Amino acid sequence: MIAAATEFMKLSVPWIGDRTAAAQSSTASLWRVLAACVLTLSWAALARGADVKPVAIAIHGGAGVIDRVHMTPEREASYRAGLAAALDAGYAVLERGGSSLDAVVTAVRVMEDDPQFNAGRGAVLTHQGAAELDAAVMDGVGPRAGAVAGVRHVKNPIQLARLVMERSPHVLLVGEGAEEFALEQGVALVPNSYFRTELRVRELEHALREEQEGRKPAAPPGPGTVGAVAIDRTGNLAAATSTGGLTNKQHGRVGDSPLIGAGTYANNESCAVSGTGQGEFFIRSVVAYDICALVQYKHLPLAAAVHEVIHNKLQRLGGEGGVIAVDGAGHIAMDFNSGGMFRAVRDSHGRREVAIYRSSTQ
């Protein structure tokens, strides 16, 4: 821009020689003013460019994965496509200047609508055969948070969690009270049968047989709890998590996902975290907040804080799972102590990855 203005002045100055001295002086003064304006605009543009911060989003779709030997190419391609769809939807929000809060809610909603994941449609079933859903969202600004637990008729629990944060004085609403609030806010409810899929019914039947035979039920392999963390152009952080919980869980059981500090946490002074795994262990260890506390108070790098909590503290207690996290500088950490974790990341530096396993081939 500066070079163009200089060339324009060079071309224009000879034309001034045909005029009177007064006219020449007046015209020259005009060009000096125009050049000054161009310089000012150029420096302003450079300053704005310097203020632009990186944007990034990471998502997860559960820490319980299928062993490689049992993973068919078709299933893996389907899981990866589901993750990619949620990742790109969330990143599109950031790319057009949207907030991190909008981005994480958008990404999680995509996964709630995808029956492959244990959240929204496709959620696992309780011992009685119903879907009971939990979700939480946290905005690093404030910070502020909203959550719901044990809802049975809310199509997108993450949307209701956000409404709890933005339109109520509370943080967590449960069961019928949460659904009454949903109706007050104009949220459409759906029959509980909407969430049931053939796969989840078979998983419950299998778990019930194991229970009758006195065997310890294993967690169903495949995508599970979903979550997202993000940083936007203003440097604000946000986290969101949604889940159907555990197959064959007791009616009324609430896991770590909707509990602020356990499975979900965000604060602009530290980081944003969303967890997935054995909820009871995440609750006892206050995993999400513990990671952010290590970043804020001990000044650990994000990856080191995540490693300390997931591979040392959580694992010592016998807990299995993983987290995704982002800090104020846009650093992303995705770590787990399980066999794998459905996950994906994308940022403004050109990084875009979708992964399931730990190896270099993912």
Side-chain angles (χ1 to χ4, degrees):
M1 186 181 292
I2 298 172
T6 303
E7 289 302 316
F8 184 75
M9 289 178 66
K10 287 179 180 178
L11 291 171
S12 302
V13 169
W15 175 78
I16 298 173
D18 296 332
R19 295 179 174 269
T20 65
Q24 289 180 12
S25 177
S26 175
T27 307
S29 296
L30 175 61
W31 287 119
R32 283 195 293 270
V33 170
L34 289 174
C37 290
V38 170
L39 284 169
T40 300
L41 291 172
S42 299
W43 286 116
L46 290 172
R48 285 195 300 271
D51 289 340
V52 173
K53 296 184 178 181
V55 298
I57 184 170
I59 67 171
H60 71 72
V65 302
I66 301 170
D67 289 340
R68 279 186 179 278
V69 293
H70 298 125
M71 176 71 84
T72 66
E74 293 77 16
R75 293 181 75 179
E76 181 171 356
S78 182
Y79 295 148
R80 287 178 176 272
L83 289 168
L87 178 72
D88 293 340
Y91 186 78
V93 173
L94 299 173
E95 195 170 34
R96 62 175 177 261
S99 71
S100 55
L101 182 62
D102 287 338
V104 296
V105 170
T106 296
V108 167
R109 283 192 63 169
V110 171
M111 290 185 282
E112 285 180 338
D113 292 340
D114 187 335
Q116 296 183 111
F117 298 100
N118 175 20
R121 178 165 168 74
V124 299
L125 305 175
T126 67
H127 181 79
Q128 293 78 14
E132 294 184 358
L133 314 172
D134 305 334
V137 64
M138 192 161 184
D139 186 353
V141 180
R144 56 190 187 136
V148 295
V151 295
R152 291 185 166 206
H153 302 97
V154 179
K155 181 181 179 182
N156 291 107
I158 198 65
Q159 176 190 8
L160 185 58
R162 181 172 184 173
L163 290 173
V164 171
M165 177 180 73
E166 295 180 335
R167 299 185 185 177
S168 86
H170 308 300
V171 171
L172 174 63
L173 294 179
V174 303
E176 293 181 2
E179 296 190 343
E180 288 176 5
F181 176 74
L183 287 173
E184 293 171 2
Q185 299 303 315
V187 175
L189 302 185
V190 297
N192 195 258
S193 59
Y194 164 82
F195 304 104
R196 293 168 62 95
T197 63
E198 291 183 10
L199 173 63
R200 298 311 187 188
V201 171
R202 290 198 302 270
E203 288 175 350
L204 176 61
E205 292 172 347
H206 179 72
L208 291 174
R209 285 196 300 270
E210 288 185 324
E211 186 177 67
Q212 292 173 353
E213 295 169 1
R215 291 183 291 163
K216 183 179 178 180
T225 295
V226 306
V229 296
I231 181 170
D232 60 32
R233 287 181 181 172
T234 64
N236 290 329
L237 305 173
T241 315
S242 182
T243 189
L246 301 173
T247 298
N248 195 30
K249 67 181 180 181
Q250 182 173 328
H251 166 56
R253 180 263 185 184
V254 175
D256 64 302
S257 298
L259 301 185
I260 302 304
T264 308
Y265 193 76
N267 189 327
N268 281 358
E269 295 184 5
S270 53
C271 61
V273 178
S274 176
T276 173
Q278 296 174 310
E280 279 67 20
F281 289 93
F282 275 65
I283 294 170
R284 298 184 191 113
S285 300
V286 200
V287 165
Y289 175 76
D290 206 22
I291 290 169
C292 292
L294 289 174
V295 170
Q296 184 174 358
Y297 301 123
K298 294 195 72 174
H299 308 293
L300 288 186
L302 183 65
V306 167
H307 187 276
E308 171 64 25
V309 174
I310 296 301
H311 292 282
N312 294 329
K313 181 179 180 180
L314 186 64
Q315 204 155 356
R316 279 198 305 269
L317 294 175
E320 184 175 300
V323 302
I324 53 173
V326 60
D327 66 14
H331 300 128
I332 294 283
M334 303 184 293
D335 204 354
F336 47 94
N337 62 28
S338 51
M341 182 171 71
F342 294 90
R343 62 199 188 279
V345 60
R346 186 173 177 184
D347 65 26
S348 53
H349 297 301
R351 181 183 182 189
R352 185 181 183 278
E353 300 171 8
V354 178
I356 300 175
Y357 303 102
R358 188 180 293 281
S359 72
S360 58
T361 58
Q362 303 301 343

